[in-house]
Amino acid sequence: MKPILALSLLLHPLIAEAIPADEDFAWVIGGGPDVFKSQVQIERNVLWVLQAMEGLPGERNVRVFFTDGDEPTPDIHEWAAPPEAAAALQPLARVFNSYWRNGLRFRNHRIPAVVGTTAADRLTDALGADFRALHPGDRGWLLFIGHGTYHEDLDNRLELWNDTELGVGELQALLDEAPQQSRLRFLFTQCYSGAFAELATPGSNRCGFMAAAADEVSEGCSPAIEKRDYEDYSTYFFAALTGRPRDGAGLDGRPDWNTDGRVTPLEAHFHVLATAFSADIPRATSEVLLMQWQPGNLTDLLAHVDESENEYTGLALQMMRSSGIDPGRSAGEEMYRRQSRLQEQWERLEQSQERLREEIVSLQQGLQQQVLGRWPAAGAPYTLDYTRFLAEDLGHAQAFIEAHSDYPQLRQRQELHWQQDDLALQIRRAKNQLRKIGHLLRLGRLKAALERDGPEDLVERYRALRECESAPF
């Protein structure tokens, strides 16, 4: 993506002076609810955040909670493509539909200085004690890197170790134990994280950033050890804050939007919105406030868009230009055409994937029938007879599979299925760039309307959130 130009004139008012604080804190909470949902990307995202914070100005007391704490048992998994060889059991895995997990490895995490588990009861006890011990001038960040679940009442949950959960309401009660004058900010990267904007209650001196809407999934939970395609919120956010790309990614453009020599969290958030080629549409608490406001006089999003109106319309217009969309009268038609083409590609891909799945199942069933006809024990894993099969007949069975005329077709279709999964993600990301432009235009219209016609109490609330989001990390 082409660099997005700085919006210096628009963003000067966003900078707020740091609130004098006795101490800075950060609570980093990461991992999945069990070893099967605790992917290596989560571990690496936590390591990236810790490394990035070490490079930021100032000192902070960092407390890390991850999966099972310091227990030596496996709590994460990673995946790497196994060799296409009998020694790796790949022929047997392909025929018996385990090829997608052949190559998985389970191990203990490598997060340094973990102070505790994320199991809900022990985590809430630890956080509650920490929040109660804060002084009025203290500042803190609560950062969650893991999985989330959706609830219809939008009391969405953090998925924690041992299949426990922590909901928006429960976390809000914990944060309320901190002194009101302390500033607590948060960053949530999980699916359905937008609901946690409710933590920024009026008068609480709290604000933050979320990777996705309250009803949408987010990126960032891959078991693959390949890092070049990490496009999650934390990659871009902390690359912008530190000025250092993560493994060569996450730092397109210039994150110091107002060119004052420092990058605030809100500027880092703008950087994610403008440059991340991901399936997320992240949001700040001030943006959620705008979207919850429903003025009746919003004009057409693309009508008379002035780049100098505010930062959101400026970002949207520059995203359009970098995507080759002329922000003139026909911009809406061009965006609609692109969205339609991508939707057609998506639907064709879905149909192709369905046919491919049917072909894979048919080939597998035919090969399974012939293998089990010769070696019935191959279909009875976790039994004594299966150990005999592994010891005496595994080589013969896999040689039979590899020599079978259907096996090359099975391999080809399974590999194509992997490729189509990757293509589906790329189409989803491309569609999201167009959605993001519309999202930014709407935010621009809402902000302009709020500043022009909004009720005074809502304007003050909005300004307080922006000041909180714009203060240095």
Side-chain angles (χ1 to χ4, degrees):
M1 175 174 285
K2 297 179 181 178
I4 305 298
L5 300 178
L7 303 176
S8 56
L9 294 178
L10 297 172
L11 294 180
H12 276 301
L14 303 184
I15 302 303
E17 292 299 318
I19 297 175
D22 295 334
E23 206 169 350
D24 286 332
F25 294 85
W27 296 269
V28 181
I29 304 166
D34 56 51
V35 68
F36 302 103
K37 291 185 69 178
S38 197
Q39 295 90 344
V40 70
Q41 188 178 357
I42 295 177
E43 180 197 48
R44 287 185 167 172
N45 286 349
V46 169
L47 289 170
W48 161 242
V49 169
L50 294 175
Q51 175 191 357
M53 284 196 296
E54 285 182 1
L56 292 172
E59 296 182 359
R60 54 193 57 82
N61 186 335
V62 180
R63 288 169 56 78
V64 183
F65 300 86
F66 195 85
T67 57
D68 60 0
D70 58 3
E71 293 292 327
T73 49
D75 56 2
I76 69 163
H77 69 271
E78 62 185 31
W79 180 87
E84 285 297 332
L89 299 188
Q90 192 68 337
L92 203 67
R94 287 189 179 279
V95 168
F96 285 90
N97 200 38
S98 294
Y99 71 101
W100 50 273
R101 58 184 176 183
N102 194 21
L104 276 180
R105 178 190 173 209
F106 300 90
R107 61 169 174 81
N108 194 27
H109 70 77
R110 297 169 184 163
I111 308 293
V114 170
V115 300
T117 176
T118 67
D121 55 348
R122 293 166 63 183
L123 178 65
T124 54
D125 287 346
L127 291 178
D130 286 352
F131 295 155
R132 287 190 296 272
L134 292 175
H135 297 102
D138 289 342
R139 302 181 301 185
W141 276 90
L142 181 68
L143 304 110
F144 180 77
I145 302 167
H147 293 287
T149 59
Y150 173 78
H151 286 248
E152 288 188 0
D153 60 359
L154 293 187
D155 186 26
N156 294 356
R157 309 297 175 89
L158 309 178
E159 292 191 70
L160 302 175
W161 191 247
N162 279 340
D163 290 316
T164 57
E165 295 182 333
L166 186 63
V168 174
E170 295 167 305
L171 187 53
Q172 184 169 301
L174 276 176
L175 290 169
D176 285 343
E177 298 193 38
Q180 189 174 14
Q181 299 90 335
S182 60
R183 184 176 65 213
L184 294 178
R185 294 184 283 183
F186 46 83
L187 187 149
F188 292 98
T189 66
Q190 79 277 10
C191 297
Y192 315 114
S193 52
F196 287 80
E198 295 300 314
L199 299 178
T201 52
S204 65
N205 202 16
R206 297 198 292 256
C207 66
F209 306 89
M210 294 73 59
D215 58 352
E216 292 188 353
V217 298
S218 64
E219 295 202 17
C221 299
S222 169
I225 60 174
E226 176 59 63
K227 295 178 284 184
R228 62 179 172 79
D229 201 32
Y230 286 6
E231 297 284 344
D232 58 280
Y233 189 82
S234 65
T235 291
Y236 282 81
F237 186 86
F238 282 95
L241 279 179
T242 62
R244 298 197 311 270
R246 177 188 181 184
D247 302 310
L251 203 56
D252 296 336
R254 186 170 59 196
D256 183 12
W257 299 99
N258 63 3
T259 64
D260 70 343
R262 65 178 179 179
V263 178
T264 69
L266 185 58
E267 287 177 308
H269 172 72
F270 289 150
H271 174 76
V272 184
L273 281 169
T275 65
F277 185 67
S278 75
D280 300 338
I281 297 185
R283 51 213 60 214
T285 45
S286 60
E287 295 165 358
V288 173
L289 183 71
L290 282 178
M291 289 184 286
Q292 289 173 343
W293 184 49
Q294 295 294 330
N297 58 347
L298 274 190
T299 59
D300 176 54
L301 295 184
L302 283 164
H304 312 296
V305 177
D306 182 353
E307 189 159 5
S308 65
E309 184 172 31
N310 57 53
E311 67 278 12
Y312 292 114
T313 53
L315 285 170
L317 289 174
Q318 293 196 49
M319 280 192 70
M320 291 167 69
R321 295 190 186 105
S322 67
S323 301
I325 300 173
D326 182 3
R329 292 184 177 179
S330 61
E333 296 176 4
E334 175 60 19
M335 290 174 64
Y336 177 78
R337 281 194 295 269
R338 291 192 183 196
Q339 193 72 262
S340 297
R341 285 197 297 268
L342 288 167
Q343 183 61 28
E344 290 173 3
Q345 292 177 32
W346 179 269
E347 292 173 359
R348 288 197 300 269
L349 183 60
E350 280 189 321
Q351 295 170 3
S352 175
Q353 285 185 305
E354 181 59 32
R355 289 193 299 268
L356 196 57
R357 281 190 288 267
E358 292 173 357
E359 292 172 1
I360 289 171
V361 169
S362 177
L363 288 165
Q364 284 176 326
Q365 289 176 342
L367 282 164
Q368 286 173 17
Q369 184 176 10
Q370 295 183 53
V371 169
L372 294 175
R374 290 166 173 76
W375 301 281
Y382 317 120
T383 65
L384 179 61
D385 203 28
Y386 191 73
T387 65
R388 296 192 188 101
F389 164 75
L390 293 176
E392 301 172 7
D393 298 318
L394 177 62
H396 300 298
Q398 293 205 116
F400 172 81
I401 292 170
E402 290 181 300
H404 198 284
S405 59
D406 286 348
Y407 186 62
Q409 298 180 57
L410 177 63
R411 278 186 56 179
Q412 185 269 337
R413 283 161 174 75
Q414 288 173 335
E415 292 304 311
L416 182 57
H417 191 272
W418 284 119
Q419 295 169 19
Q420 289 189 343
D421 275 350
D422 289 340
L423 179 58
L425 177 58
Q426 297 306 312
I427 293 175
R428 183 179 162 214
R429 287 171 172 172
K431 289 172 64 178
N432 199 54
Q433 302 316 296
L434 298 173
R435 285 184 61 214
K436 203 187 303 183
I437 291 171
H439 173 72
L440 289 167
L441 288 170
R442 180 168 180 80
L443 287 175
R445 290 295 192 207
L446 286 167
K447 184 184 179 189
L450 180 67
E451 292 173 340
R452 184 181 61 247
D453 305 319
E456 185 175 342
D457 60 338
L458 193 64
V459 172
E460 287 302 313
R461 174 71 183 136
Y462 178 74
R463 288 174 179 166
L465 287 172
R466 293 279 291 215
E467 289 177 1
C468 177
E469 294 160 358
S470 301
F473 192 92

